[in-house]
Amino acid sequence: MSLFKSILNTIPRPLLIKVSYVVRPIIAFSLKGNKYTDPIDGKSFRKFIPYGYGKQRKNALSPSTLSLERHRLMWLFLKDETNFFSSTKKLKVLHIAPEQCFLDIFRKQKNLEYITSDLESPIADVKADICYLPFTDDEFDVVFCNHVLEHIPDDTRAMQELYRVLKKGGFGIFQIPQDLSRKETFEDDTITDRKERAKIFGQYDHVRVYGKDYFNKLRSVGFTVDEVDYTKKIAPKELERFCLMKNEILPVCYKK
């Protein structure tokens, strides 16, 4: 097991977040180059960092923003296909389990009222359980909740809360790790051993593996869901340069 993989699997995520602020500038400096570019901050490197709790993916983690493939894809989609960065009307945004690669940028955006929430994250504004969010109905124009639902035993309740707090006419992006070869999601709450969970669900703190039915589960709580394969709109050379994962689906959810 590589050192980085061992760290991911043994150090609690809240502590990892704190440590990353210290080591990030050192790693970014050591990997400077021009082969790969992070579209979030425009910085380039000779390589990105391998990442994964199980099998590690090469060139996955950006040394500067600590973005992964899914973050860079979402950034490009927001920039090119939505008014998230350009809206003249102030957007109220809720970000569940905020990712570092977005945090400072979104906080500085003058067109956003940006609120972050999580039960454990040291960088979240509001400490809250996703199944019992302390926000009013129809409060937010935009909601982000990425790679969270696979950790939540009652994901239906969490989805209902995301739907409740989103305004009519608003949108959300709710990414999850997904096995598109599976028709149905697999979960088994009797599996509690960390090693077994990692083997079966892909990570020690996951409680299910989502299949293609994930989108319909979101629809069942009221969302209109676009299954966006945004990588098809990006040139192959750009996919490689930005270190994106081909055919990754963005679940873009609307409340009508």
Side-chain angles (χ1 to χ4, degrees):
M1 183 182 284
S2 71
L3 176 61
F4 195 64
K5 182 177 173 182
S6 180
I7 289 169
L8 284 176
N9 281 282
T10 54
I11 298 178
R13 189 172 287 106
L15 182 56
L16 274 176
I17 290 170
K18 289 180 180 178
V19 171
S20 67
Y21 278 97
V22 177
V23 301
R24 181 172 61 179
I26 299 166
I27 295 172
F29 181 79
S30 69
L31 293 178
K32 275 186 175 181
N34 56 20
K35 186 171 185 180
Y36 302 112
T37 301
D38 186 338
I40 296 174
D41 64 0
K43 292 182 179 177
S44 296
F45 303 91
R46 57 186 172 83
K47 66 178 181 177
F48 280 11
I49 303 163
Y51 187 90
Y53 283 76
K55 183 180 178 182
Q56 294 215 305
R57 308 183 303 278
K58 289 183 180 180
N59 295 312
L61 187 72
S62 163
S64 56
T65 67
L66 301 184
S67 66
L68 291 166
E69 303 96 331
R70 63 179 184 265
H71 303 128
R72 297 188 288 275
L73 183 66
M74 188 177 100
W75 173 273
L76 292 168
F77 175 80
L78 289 172
K79 183 171 69 73
D80 297 335
E81 301 293 326
T82 77
N83 69 344
F84 183 78
F85 295 105
S86 60
S87 174
T88 53
K89 170 200 164 191
K90 196 155 197 172
L91 301 174
K92 191 167 186 179
V93 179
L94 174 63
H95 196 162
I96 303 291
E99 294 102 333
Q100 285 173 261
C101 57
F102 298 133
L103 191 68
D104 290 342
I105 297 170
F106 290 175
R107 276 182 174 161
K108 290 175 183 175
Q109 271 184 240
K110 293 185 177 175
N111 70 321
L112 303 182
E113 182 183 347
Y114 180 63
I115 297 169
T116 62
S117 180
D118 190 75
L119 197 57
E120 297 180 350
S121 174
I123 59 176
D125 302 316
V126 179
K127 296 292 185 284
D129 185 336
I130 189 176
C131 293
Y132 302 95
L133 291 172
F135 306 111
T136 61
D137 296 356
D138 305 298
E139 186 169 345
F140 296 95
D141 299 286
V142 182
V143 177
F144 299 129
C145 177
N146 298 319
H147 282 237
V148 173
L149 293 169
E150 67 276 9
H151 299 267
I152 309 299
D154 190 354
D155 64 337
T156 301
R157 168 78 189 188
M159 290 175 185
Q160 289 169 339
E161 280 292 89
L162 296 173
Y163 184 82
R164 180 183 66 80
V165 301
L166 184 65
K167 285 181 184 178
K168 287 184 179 178
F171 76 91
I173 297 179
F174 311 136
Q175 294 171 299
I176 40 87
Q178 188 174 24
D179 182 355
L180 291 171
S181 69
R182 288 179 179 268
K183 286 185 179 179
E184 296 181 353
T185 295
F186 173 73
E187 54 190 325
D188 183 344
D189 59 11
T190 67
I191 302 169
T192 56
D193 180 75
R194 286 168 62 100
K195 288 184 178 178
E196 275 299 293
R197 279 187 172 178
K199 181 180 175 182
I200 294 168
F201 300 132
Q203 197 167 303
Y204 70 88
D205 53 356
H206 288 186
V207 297
R208 67 183 58 82
V209 181
Y210 283 108
K212 287 183 179 178
D213 60 343
Y214 172 67
F215 308 112
N216 283 335
K217 187 158 190 179
L218 289 167
R219 293 180 181 112
S220 74
V221 304
F223 289 111
T224 299
V225 182
D226 284 351
E227 302 168 31
V228 181
D229 182 355
Y230 196 58
T231 65
K232 288 183 177 177
K233 283 196 170 185
I234 300 170
K237 283 186 178 180
E238 297 290 87
L239 285 177
E240 184 178 355
R241 183 164 71 93
F242 294 146
C243 297
L244 299 175
M245 197 177 292
K246 194 175 180 182
N247 300 130
E248 181 172 359
I249 305 296
L250 277 173
V252 186
C253 303
Y254 301 91
K255 183 173 179 178
K256 294 187 175 178

Coordinates of all heavy atoms in Angstrom, one line a residue, residues 132-182:
Y132 N -31.6 16.4 8.8 CA -32.4 17.3 9.6 C -31.8 18.7 9.4 O -31.2 19.3 10.3 CB -32.4 16.9 11.0 CG -33.0 15.5 11.2 CD1 -32.1 14.4 11.3 CD2 -34.3 15.3 11.3 CE1 -32.6 13.1 11.5 CE2 -34.9 14.0 11.5 CZ -34.0 13.0 11.6 OH -34.5 11.7 11.7
L133 N -31.8 19.2 8.2 CA -31.2 20.5 7.9 C -31.9 21.7 8.6 O -33.1 21.8 8.5 CB -31.1 20.8 6.4 CG -30.2 19.8 5.6 CD1 -30.4 20.0 4.1 CD2 -28.7 20.0 6.0
P134 N -31.2 22.6 9.2 CA -31.8 23.7 10.0 C -32.1 24.9 9.1 O -31.8 26.1 9.4 CB -30.7 24.1 11.0 CG -29.4 23.8 10.3 CD -29.7 22.6 9.4
F135 N -32.7 24.7 7.9 CA -33.0 25.7 7.0 C -34.5 25.7 6.6 O -35.1 24.6 6.7 CB -32.1 25.6 5.7 CG -30.6 25.5 6.0 CD1 -29.9 24.4 5.8 CD2 -30.0 26.6 6.5 CE1 -28.6 24.3 6.1 CE2 -28.6 26.6 6.8 CZ -27.9 25.4 6.6
T136 N -35.0 26.8 6.1 CA -36.4 26.8 5.8 C -36.7 26.2 4.4 O -35.8 26.0 3.6 CB -36.9 28.3 5.8 OG1 -36.2 29.0 4.8 CG2 -36.7 28.9 7.1
D137 N -38.0 25.9 4.2 CA -38.4 25.4 2.9 C -38.1 26.4 1.8 O -38.2 27.6 2.0 CB -39.9 25.1 2.9 CG -40.3 24.0 3.8 OD1 -39.4 23.4 4.5 OD2 -41.5 23.8 4.0
D138 N -37.7 25.9 0.6 CA -37.5 26.8 -0.6 C -36.5 28.0 -0.3 O -36.8 29.1 -0.7 CB -38.8 27.3 -1.0 CG -39.8 26.2 -1.3 OD1 -39.6 25.4 -2.2 OD2 -40.9 26.2 -0.7
E139 N -35.4 27.7 0.4 CA -34.5 28.7 0.8 C -33.4 29.0 -0.2 O -32.9 30.2 -0.3 CB -33.9 28.4 2.2 CG -33.1 29.5 2.8 CD -32.7 29.3 4.2 OE1 -33.3 28.5 4.9 OE2 -31.8 30.0 4.7
F140 N -32.9 28.0 -0.9 CA -31.7 28.1 -1.7 C -31.9 28.0 -3.2 O -32.7 27.2 -3.7 CB -30.7 27.1 -1.3 CG -30.2 27.2 0.2 CD1 -30.8 26.5 1.2 CD2 -29.2 28.1 0.5 CE1 -30.4 26.6 2.5 CE2 -28.8 28.2 1.8 CZ -29.4 27.5 2.8
D141 N -31.2 28.9 -3.9 CA -31.2 28.8 -5.4 C -30.4 27.7 -5.9 O -30.8 27.1 -7.0 CB -30.7 30.2 -6.0 CG -31.5 31.4 -5.6 OD1 -32.6 31.5 -6.1 OD2 -31.0 32.1 -4.7
V142 N -29.4 27.3 -5.3 CA -28.4 26.3 -5.7 C -28.0 25.5 -4.5 O -27.8 26.0 -3.4 CB -27.2 26.9 -6.4 CG1 -26.2 25.8 -6.8 CG2 -27.5 27.8 -7.5
V143 N -28.0 24.1 -4.7 CA -27.5 23.2 -3.6 C -26.5 22.3 -4.2 O -26.8 21.6 -5.2 CB -28.7 22.4 -3.0 CG1 -28.1 21.5 -1.9 CG2 -29.7 23.4 -2.3
F144 N -25.3 22.2 -3.5 CA -24.3 21.2 -3.9 C -24.2 20.1 -2.8 O -24.2 20.5 -1.6 CB -23.0 21.8 -4.1 CG -22.9 22.8 -5.2 CD1 -22.4 24.1 -4.9 CD2 -23.4 22.6 -6.5 CE1 -22.3 25.1 -5.9 CE2 -23.3 23.5 -7.5 CZ -22.8 24.8 -7.2
C145 N -24.2 18.9 -3.2 CA -24.0 17.8 -2.2 C -23.3 16.7 -2.9 O -23.9 15.8 -3.5 CB -25.4 17.4 -1.7 SG -25.3 16.0 -0.5
N146 N -22.0 16.7 -2.9 CA -21.2 15.8 -3.7 C -20.4 14.7 -2.9 O -19.8 15.1 -1.9 CB -20.2 16.6 -4.6 CG -21.0 17.5 -5.5 OD1 -22.0 17.1 -6.1 ND2 -20.5 18.7 -5.7
H147 N -20.6 13.5 -3.2 CA -20.0 12.3 -2.6 C -20.3 12.4 -1.0 O -19.4 12.2 -0.2 CB -18.5 12.3 -2.9 CG -18.2 11.8 -4.2 ND1 -17.4 10.7 -4.4 CD2 -18.7 12.1 -5.5 CE1 -17.4 10.4 -5.7 NE2 -18.2 11.2 -6.4
V148 N -21.6 12.5 -0.7 CA -22.1 12.5 0.6 C -23.1 11.4 0.8 O -23.0 10.6 1.8 CB -22.7 13.9 1.0 CG1 -23.4 13.8 2.4 CG2 -21.7 15.0 0.9
L149 N -24.0 11.3 -0.1 CA -25.2 10.4 0.1 C -24.8 8.9 0.3 O -25.5 8.2 0.9 CB -26.1 10.5 -1.1 CG -26.8 11.9 -1.2 CD1 -27.6 12.0 -2.5 CD2 -27.8 12.1 0.0
E150 N -23.6 8.5 -0.3 CA -23.2 7.1 -0.1 C -22.7 6.8 1.3 O -22.5 5.7 1.7 CB -22.0 6.8 -1.1 CG -20.7 7.5 -0.9 CD -20.7 8.9 -1.5 OE1 -21.7 9.4 -1.9 OE2 -19.6 9.5 -1.5
H151 N -22.6 7.9 2.1 CA -22.2 7.7 3.5 C -23.4 7.7 4.5 O -23.3 7.4 5.6 CB -21.3 8.9 4.0 CG -20.0 9.0 3.3 ND1 -18.9 8.5 3.7 CD2 -19.7 9.7 2.1 CE1 -17.9 8.8 2.9 NE2 -18.4 9.5 1.9
I152 N -24.6 8.0 3.9 CA -25.8 8.3 4.8 C -26.7 7.1 4.8 O -27.2 6.7 3.7 CB -26.6 9.5 4.2 CG1 -25.6 10.7 4.1 CG2 -27.7 9.8 5.2 CD1 -25.0 11.2 5.3
P153 N -26.9 6.4 5.9 CA -27.8 5.3 6.0 C -29.2 5.5 5.4 O -29.7 4.7 4.6 CB -27.9 4.9 7.5 CG -26.6 5.4 8.0 CD -26.3 6.7 7.2
D154 N -29.8 6.6 5.8 CA -31.2 7.0 5.3 C -31.0 8.0 4.2 O -31.3 9.2 4.4 CB -32.0 7.5 6.4 CG -33.5 7.6 6.0 OD1 -33.8 7.4 4.8 OD2 -34.3 7.9 6.9
D155 N -30.6 7.6 3.0 CA -30.3 8.5 1.9 C -31.6 9.1 1.4 O -31.6 10.2 0.8 CB -29.4 7.9 0.8 CG -30.1 6.7 0.1 OD1 -31.0 6.1 0.7 OD2 -29.7 6.4 -1.0
T156 N -32.7 8.4 1.5 CA -34.0 8.9 1.0 C -34.4 10.2 1.8 O -34.8 11.2 1.3 CB -35.1 7.9 1.1 OG1 -34.8 6.7 0.4 CG2 -36.5 8.5 0.7
R157 N -34.2 10.1 3.1 CA -34.5 11.2 4.0 C -33.6 12.4 3.6 O -34.0 13.6 3.6 CB -34.3 10.8 5.5 CG -34.3 12.0 6.5 CD -35.6 12.5 6.8 NE -35.5 13.7 7.6 CZ -36.6 14.3 8.2 NH1 -37.8 13.8 8.0 NH2 -36.4 15.4 8.8
A158 N -32.3 12.1 3.4 CA -31.4 13.2 3.0 C -31.8 13.8 1.7 O -31.8 15.1 1.6 CB -30.0 12.6 2.9
M159 N -32.2 13.0 0.7 CA -32.7 13.6 -0.6 C -33.9 14.5 -0.4 O -34.0 15.5 -1.0 CB -33.0 12.4 -1.6 CG -31.7 11.7 -2.0 SD -32.2 10.3 -3.1 CE -30.7 9.5 -3.4
Q160 N -34.8 14.0 0.5 CA -36.0 14.8 0.7 C -35.7 16.2 1.4 O -36.3 17.2 1.0 CB -36.9 14.0 1.7 CG -37.6 12.8 1.0 CD -38.3 11.9 2.0 OE1 -38.0 11.9 3.2 NE2 -39.2 11.1 1.5
E161 N -34.6 16.2 2.2 CA -34.2 17.4 2.8 C -33.6 18.4 1.7 O -33.8 19.6 1.7 CB -33.2 17.2 3.9 CG -33.8 16.8 5.2 CD -34.6 17.9 5.9 OE1 -35.8 18.1 5.5 OE2 -34.0 18.7 6.6
L162 N -32.8 17.8 0.8 CA -32.2 18.6 -0.2 C -33.3 19.2 -1.1 O -33.2 20.4 -1.5 CB -31.2 17.7 -1.1 CG -30.0 17.2 -0.3 CD1 -29.3 16.2 -1.3 CD2 -29.1 18.3 0.1
Y163 N -34.3 18.4 -1.4 CA -35.5 18.9 -2.2 C -36.2 20.0 -1.4 O -36.6 21.0 -2.0 CB -36.4 17.7 -2.5 CG -37.5 18.1 -3.4 CD1 -37.4 18.2 -4.8 CD2 -38.8 18.4 -2.9 CE1 -38.4 18.6 -5.6 CE2 -39.9 18.8 -3.7 CZ -39.7 18.8 -5.0 OH -40.7 19.2 -5.9
R164 N -36.4 19.8 -0.1 CA -37.2 20.7 0.7 C -36.6 22.1 0.7 O -37.2 23.1 0.5 CB -37.3 20.2 2.1 CG -38.1 21.1 3.0 CD -38.2 20.6 4.5 NE -36.9 20.6 5.1 CZ -36.3 21.6 5.7 NH1 -36.9 22.8 5.6 NH2 -35.1 21.5 6.3
V165 N -35.2 22.2 0.9 CA -34.6 23.5 1.0 C -34.3 24.2 -0.3 O -33.9 25.4 -0.3 CB -33.3 23.4 1.9 CG1 -33.6 22.8 3.2 CG2 -32.2 22.6 1.1
L166 N -34.4 23.5 -1.4 CA -34.2 24.1 -2.7 C -35.4 24.9 -3.2 O -36.5 24.4 -3.1 CB -33.8 23.0 -3.7 CG -33.4 23.4 -5.2 CD1 -32.1 24.2 -5.2 CD2 -33.3 22.2 -6.1
K167 N -35.2 26.0 -3.7 CA -36.3 26.9 -4.2 C -36.8 26.3 -5.5 O -36.1 25.6 -6.3 CB -35.8 28.3 -4.6 CG -35.5 29.2 -3.4 CD -35.0 30.5 -3.9 CE -34.7 31.5 -2.8 NZ -34.2 32.8 -3.3
K168 N -38.1 26.5 -5.8 CA -38.6 26.2 -7.1 C -37.9 27.0 -8.1 O -37.7 28.2 -8.0 CB -40.1 26.5 -7.1 CG -41.0 25.5 -6.3 CD -42.4 25.8 -6.4 CE -43.2 24.7 -5.6 NZ -44.7 25.0 -5.7
G169 N -37.5 26.3 -9.2 CA -36.7 27.0 -10.2 C -35.2 26.9 -10.0 O -34.4 27.3 -10.8
G170 N -34.8 26.4 -8.8 CA -33.4 26.2 -8.5 C -32.8 24.9 -9.0 O -33.6 24.1 -9.5
F171 N -31.5 24.8 -8.8 CA -30.9 23.5 -9.3 C -29.9 23.0 -8.2 O -29.4 23.8 -7.4 CB -30.3 23.6 -10.6 CG -28.9 24.4 -10.7 CD1 -27.7 23.7 -10.5 CD2 -28.9 25.7 -10.9 CE1 -26.5 24.3 -10.6 CE2 -27.7 26.4 -10.9 CZ -26.5 25.7 -10.7
G172 N -29.6 21.7 -8.3 CA -28.6 21.1 -7.4 C -27.8 20.2 -8.2 O -28.2 19.6 -9.2
I173 N -26.6 19.9 -7.7 CA -25.7 18.9 -8.3 C -25.3 18.0 -7.1 O -24.8 18.4 -6.1 CB -24.4 19.5 -9.0 CG1 -24.8 20.3 -10.2 CG2 -23.5 18.4 -9.4 CD1 -23.7 21.0 -10.9
F174 N -25.7 16.7 -7.3 CA -25.5 15.7 -6.2 C -24.7 14.5 -6.8 O -25.3 13.4 -7.1 CB -26.9 15.2 -5.7 CG -27.8 16.4 -5.4 CD1 -29.2 16.3 -5.8 CD2 -27.4 17.5 -4.7 CE1 -30.1 17.3 -5.5 CE2 -28.3 18.5 -4.4 CZ -29.6 18.4 -4.8
Q175 N -23.4 14.7 -6.9 CA -22.6 13.6 -7.4 C -22.4 12.5 -6.4 O -22.4 12.8 -5.2 CB -21.2 14.2 -7.8 CG -21.2 15.2 -8.9 CD -19.8 15.8 -9.1 OE1 -19.4 16.5 -8.2 NE2 -19.2 15.6 -10.2
I176 N -22.2 11.3 -6.9 CA -21.9 10.2 -6.0 C -21.0 9.2 -6.8 O -20.9 9.3 -8.0 CB -23.2 9.4 -5.6 CG1 -24.2 9.3 -6.8 CG2 -24.0 10.0 -4.5 CD1 -24.0 8.1 -7.7
P177 N -20.2 8.4 -6.1 CA -19.5 7.3 -6.8 C -20.6 6.3 -7.3 O -21.5 5.9 -6.5 CB -18.6 6.7 -5.7 CG -19.3 7.1 -4.4 CD -20.0 8.3 -4.6
Q178 N -20.5 6.0 -8.5 CA -21.5 5.2 -9.2 C -21.0 4.1 -10.1 O -20.0 4.4 -10.8 CB -22.4 6.2 -10.0 CG -23.7 5.5 -10.6 CD -24.6 6.6 -11.2 OE1 -24.1 7.6 -11.7 NE2 -25.8 6.3 -11.3
D179 N -21.5 2.9 -10.0 CA -21.2 1.8 -10.8 C -22.3 1.7 -11.9 O -23.3 1.2 -11.6 CB -21.1 0.5 -10.0 CG -20.7 -0.7 -10.9 OD1 -20.5 -0.5 -12.1 OD2 -20.4 -1.8 -10.3
L180 N -22.0 2.2 -13.1 CA -23.0 2.3 -14.1 C -23.3 0.9 -14.8 O -24.1 0.8 -15.6 CB -22.6 3.3 -15.2 CG -22.7 4.8 -14.7 CD1 -22.1 5.7 -15.7 CD2 -24.2 5.2 -14.4
S181 N -22.5 -0.1 -14.4 CA -22.7 -1.4 -14.9 C -23.8 -2.1 -14.0 O -24.3 -3.2 -14.4 CB -21.4 -2.3 -14.8 OG -21.0 -2.5 -13.5
R182 N -24.1 -1.5 -12.9 CA -25.2 -2.0 -12.0 C -26.5 -1.4 -12.4 O -26.6 -0.1 -12.4 CB -24.9 -1.7 -10.5 CG -23.8 -2.5 -9.9 CD -23.6 -2.1 -8.5 NE -22.6 -2.8 -7.8 CZ -22.8 -3.9 -7.1 NH1 -24.0 -4.4 -7.0 NH2 -21.8 -4.6 -6.5

